[in-house]
Amino acid sequence: MLGFIWSLIIGGIIGAIGQAIVGTNVPGGIIGNIIIGFIGAWAGHALFQMGPQLADFYIIPAIVGAILIVFIYDLIASRL
């Protein structure tokens, strides 16, 4: 149970970092951050499997993945 909570916290932080770097906000507040963090970690893990690891997240690839996901979201949202 504690591992799951730790993963939610790390996922939220990764999502917030991705949003801060891109400079856009994804709707949903902390839940949106967690979702972006998890999707970004999945995408980053699929591309790169290296670097420091925290709560089963490769930190650098997860942040890069979150940046890509937020950027793609921003492109799609700006067209709607």
Side-chain angles (χ1 to χ4, degrees):
M1 181 68 176
L2 187 59
F4 177 71
I5 294 171
W6 185 242
S7 294
L8 290 176
I9 292 169
I10 299 300
I13 291 170
I14 290 170
I17 290 171
Q19 288 183 58
I21 290 174
V22 174
T24 189
N25 287 325
V26 174
I30 189 69
I31 303 298
N33 284 342
I34 292 170
I35 292 170
I36 291 297
F38 274 104
I39 294 172
W42 174 78
H45 182 77
L47 297 173
F48 314 105
Q49 295 179 6
M50 60 183 181
Q53 198 173 10
L54 183 63
D56 293 333
F57 289 100
Y58 288 102
I59 300 300
I60 304 301
I63 292 172
V64 171
I67 291 168
L68 288 172
I69 298 300
V70 172
F71 183 73
I72 291 169
Y73 166 79
D74 191 40
L75 286 176
I76 292 170
S78 66
R79 300 209 189 253
L80 296 178

